[in-house]
Every structure is written in C-alpha cells, then in structure tokens.
Amino acid sequence: MTKKTTWSDRFESALHPAIAIFNASIGFDIELIEYDLTGSIAHAQMLGQTGIITTEEVAQLVAGLEQIRQEYYQGEFTPGVEAEDIHFAVERRLTEIVGDVGKKLHTARSRNDQIGTDVRLYLREEITNIRGKLREFQLVLLELAENNVETLIPGYTHLQRAQPLSLAHHLLAYVQMAQRDWERLADVYKRTNISPLGCGALAGTTFPIDRQYSAELLNFDAVYENSLDGVSDRDFAIEFLCAASLIMVHLSRLSEEMILWASEEFNFVKLKDSCATGSSIMPQKKNPDVPELVRGKTGRVFGHLQALLVIMKGLPLAYNKDLQEDKEGLFDGVKTVKASLEAMTILLADGIEFNTTRLNNAVGEDFSNATDVADYLAAKGIPFREAYNLVGKVVKKSLAVGKLLKDLTLEEWQQLHPAFEADIYQAIAPRTVVSARNSYGGTGFEQVKAAIARAKSRLNI
Ligand code: ARG
C-alpha cells in the first residue's frame, strides 16, 4: 500500500497489502453508510451548537456529507479497501469535497463511539422493520384461523394422536408466539436506542460537547452513562440475536409442521406450485423447499448469537478490534429473519391449501376421543382414575378386534359400565369433543372465537 493512511505521519512504513485486506471492514460496513452519514451530521451540528466549530463550518460539513449520500445512491461512491472502513471512507471523501474543514468533523469523536452509534441506528430501524413483518405474519395466520374455526385437526403429544383440535386453535398458537417476539423486540429496542456518541475513544473528551443534544438529534432515548461501557457494550446486539433466534425457533417449528403436513403420510396440506419445487429426477415429487430452508436457516441465526457471545466473553475494556467482528453476523441475522418471516408469510397466504376433508375425517379415525369417554363417566360421579382405567381396557379390547370407540354397540358400552347411555355417541363425536373443551384458552369453538377477537383487538383490526 503506497497510499497515505490516516496515521502515515506516525508510522514508518505502510501496511502489508494482505494485512490491509485482513484489517478492512469496508466490504461489509458500507452497509452502514446511511447511519454513518446521519450520525456524522448530528455530530457536526452538535459541534456547532456548542461553539466548537462555526455555523459556517457546520453548513459546509453537512452539505458535504449530504453530497456523499447522493453519490452513494447514484453508485458513484464506491470506496475500496484502502479506505479501511466506512468512517475513514466518508471522512476522506468529505475532505476531498469540502477541503480542510472536512478534517474538523472528527473533533471530539472516535471511531469507537462512531461505530457504536452507527450499529445502534441501523439496528433500531431493522427492529422496527422486523416487528412490521411479524405483524404481517400474524395477520395471515389470523385470517387462516378465522376461516378454519370449525375445521378439525388431530392434536398431538409425542407426535402421537392425543385429542382433536380446531385448526384455528393450532394456528393461533403461532400468533401468540409471534406476539411474544414482537414484544421482546420492543424491549430490545429500548436498550438499543441509547447513544454512545461522545464517549470518545474510551474516556470521553476534553471538548465541551453536549451529548444530550446529539442524542436528541438522532432520536435516541438516552445517552450511555459511562464512556467505557458506551464504546464496548454490545449487549443490545446479543439481545437482538437472541430475540431473532427465538423468532427462528418459532418459524422452524411451524416449518417442521408444514413439512410433515405436506407429506403423503399426513396429507393435511397441499403445496401450491407457487411455493414448491420439483425434483430433477423423480417426476412425482413436489418438495416443501420454503419451510425446509427456513428450518435450515435457523441454524445460521443461532450461530451468529453464539459467535457474538464468544467474541464478547474475553474482551477487556474498552474497544478491541474483535468488535469489528460483530457486524457480519448481525447483518446476516437481520436479513435471515426478515427473509424467513416474509417467506413463511407468503407460504401461509399463497403457498398451501388445507385438505379440510381429510382433516375433518382424520379426527374420526382414531382413539383421540378416549379422554372424553373417561370424562363422560367422571361427570356421572365415577372417580376419574377409575374411569381412565376402564377406558384403557376398552381401547385395548377395541384395538384387538379392529374397532373404534364409535363402533361399540350400546350393549357393549353398558357391559363395561351401566352408567353409559345412548348419548355416549354424541359425546365422543369429534366435533362435540372439540367444542366441549370450553375452558379459557382451550380449543372449544367459543374459546377459539374469543381468542381470535382478542388477537384482532391487539392488532387493532
Ligand atoms: N471498523 C471498526 C469496527 O468495526 C471501527 C472502529 C475502529 N476503531 C479502532 N479503534 N480501530 O469496529
């Protein structure tokens, strides 16, 4: 590298070309340009407000920074590795545009508080974007739920048929998960939206800066209380990746269900052509690539969380170059969560069709009404455990003769226990079984309708 670097006057020789590349972050922190410019404009205005530079100088700096913004969007600002990072790239170009006054921008600031500011400005915007996408995801689920209150679906525990459910109830479980994700992100936002600007390299600055003023210009809620903490804290990014990981957990569980449901064995949903792919060799195949990819991408986001935790755990205060490694994982985490939410929303809205006939029939072909037989007896005063044991024997016997509970004759029922009456058939019909679970938060149709109403009012619809 023969080009002059910021510290060439201090150093004897230039950086080894390979090390220059190794050291540079411009390849990925260019993504922060918008925030770097916005942060620099606020910093310049604060320098003017406090009289550290003149109003005229502020105007020149701001105009120059705005010009860089324009150049970037016109594809004319493409700094290379010689710039090292976004901060040097901008400062260098600024000085080319406005002359020596450009060199005043970095007064009372360090790249350490600058990058902290940039990443927080970036992340708070992306948190808002992701929360918007969570809402869209919830809306699609809610619409599906509303259309399927009375569609029945087998409910599972241990992936064994357990008790039948309203399909809407199943879908609403994901609305709840997304609600927690939405709330969790609001909480992460609070700790992301704090300004480290003015913490300097680590110790603050000798200039009479006004940190509150620049924080206000940037719409931060508060400023970091301690300059060492301000430049070296990445808790907010870890918290975000944790919240992002949980979003992915939820999407991945839904994906797994979609994949199972689309299989021939379950046959609960049909994949539409818009969201499925074929095989290059097996002509009959229709593959659930979308949920498979979401399930697969989940690992990346977990990985980014793990990586950042490990980056942080051994760092002495304050800034260390290790912190440059926080960005790529964070950026990829943001992109992956957004893309996955979008893809799952499209899949639910346009990519699947519930096989409602099959679903409604499926719940009548098993012993998932066995609990209801026990409940029937218990309601007549027979102790539940006794009733449970009795029904266990009935199931065993029925299985042996290849019958379902609904196929037993009234005589057979009464031989088992005299308390059985003709209404047993009605009591164990899948629709009755589902609608009878009318406890708060249960799958009974009335409960499901109430849950939909609550979710809608939460979403202001
Ligand atoms: N590119 C650096 C980063 O991403 C900016 C801060 C550099 N600070 C320093 N003291 N070298 O963290």
Short mmCIF file of all heavy atoms in Angstrom, two decimals, residues 277-287:
data_model
loop_
_atom_site.label_atom_id
_atom_site.label_comp_id
_atom_site.label_asym_id
_atom_site.label_seq_id
_atom_site.Cartn_x
_atom_site.Cartn_y
_atom_site.Cartn_z
N THR A 277 -41.13 -26.93 -5.17
CA THR A 277 -40.24 -27.22 -6.29
C THR A 277 -40.33 -28.70 -6.64
O THR A 277 -40.75 -29.51 -5.81
CB THR A 277 -38.77 -26.91 -5.94
OG1 THR A 277 -38.44 -27.68 -4.80
CG2 THR A 277 -38.56 -25.44 -5.66
N GLY A 278 -39.89 -29.01 -7.84
CA GLY A 278 -39.90 -30.40 -8.27
C GLY A 278 -38.52 -31.01 -8.09
O GLY A 278 -37.59 -30.37 -7.62
N SER A 279 -38.44 -32.27 -8.43
CA SER A 279 -37.16 -32.97 -8.34
C SER A 279 -36.58 -33.08 -9.73
O SER A 279 -37.31 -33.11 -10.72
CB SER A 279 -37.40 -34.35 -7.73
OG SER A 279 -36.43 -35.26 -8.20
N SER A 280 -35.26 -33.14 -9.80
CA SER A 280 -34.62 -33.24 -11.12
C SER A 280 -34.71 -34.66 -11.66
O SER A 280 -34.47 -34.89 -12.84
CB SER A 280 -33.15 -32.82 -11.01
OG SER A 280 -32.50 -33.69 -10.10
N ILE A 281 -35.04 -35.60 -10.80
CA ILE A 281 -35.06 -36.99 -11.27
C ILE A 281 -36.38 -37.71 -11.01
O ILE A 281 -36.81 -38.54 -11.80
CB ILE A 281 -33.86 -37.77 -10.65
CG1 ILE A 281 -33.99 -39.28 -10.87
CG2 ILE A 281 -33.72 -37.50 -9.16
CD1 ILE A 281 -32.77 -40.06 -10.49
N MET A 282 -37.07 -37.34 -9.90
CA MET A 282 -38.31 -38.05 -9.58
C MET A 282 -39.51 -37.21 -9.98
O MET A 282 -39.86 -36.24 -9.32
CB MET A 282 -38.34 -38.35 -8.07
CG MET A 282 -37.21 -39.26 -7.64
SD MET A 282 -36.97 -39.28 -5.85
CE MET A 282 -36.11 -37.75 -5.59
N PRO A 283 -40.13 -37.58 -11.08
CA PRO A 283 -41.16 -36.72 -11.66
C PRO A 283 -42.36 -36.49 -10.76
O PRO A 283 -43.08 -35.51 -10.90
CB PRO A 283 -41.59 -37.47 -12.92
CG PRO A 283 -40.63 -38.58 -13.11
CD PRO A 283 -39.92 -38.83 -11.85
N GLN A 284 -42.61 -37.39 -9.82
CA GLN A 284 -43.82 -37.25 -8.98
C GLN A 284 -43.66 -36.26 -7.84
O GLN A 284 -44.63 -35.87 -7.21
CB GLN A 284 -44.20 -38.64 -8.42
CG GLN A 284 -43.49 -39.06 -7.12
CD GLN A 284 -42.04 -39.50 -7.30
OE1 GLN A 284 -41.44 -39.36 -8.36
NE2 GLN A 284 -41.45 -40.03 -6.24
N LYS A 285 -42.41 -35.80 -7.60
CA LYS A 285 -42.14 -35.04 -6.37
C LYS A 285 -42.61 -33.59 -6.42
O LYS A 285 -42.57 -32.92 -7.44
CB LYS A 285 -40.62 -35.00 -6.10
CG LYS A 285 -40.01 -36.31 -5.70
CD LYS A 285 -40.35 -36.74 -4.28
CE LYS A 285 -39.72 -35.88 -3.23
NZ LYS A 285 -38.29 -36.10 -3.08
N LYS A 286 -43.04 -33.14 -5.24
CA LYS A 286 -43.28 -31.71 -5.00
C LYS A 286 -42.68 -31.45 -3.64
O LYS A 286 -43.14 -32.00 -2.64
CB LYS A 286 -44.78 -31.45 -4.99
CG LYS A 286 -45.20 -30.25 -5.78
CD LYS A 286 -46.67 -30.01 -5.62
CE LYS A 286 -47.16 -29.07 -6.72
NZ LYS A 286 -48.53 -28.63 -6.45
N ASN A 287 -41.65 -30.65 -3.62
CA ASN A 287 -40.89 -30.52 -2.37
C ASN A 287 -41.21 -29.22 -1.61
O ASN A 287 -41.37 -28.17 -2.22
CB ASN A 287 -39.40 -30.57 -2.66
CG ASN A 287 -38.97 -31.93 -3.18
OD1 ASN A 287 -39.57 -32.95 -2.81
ND2 ASN A 287 -37.97 -31.94 -4.04
#
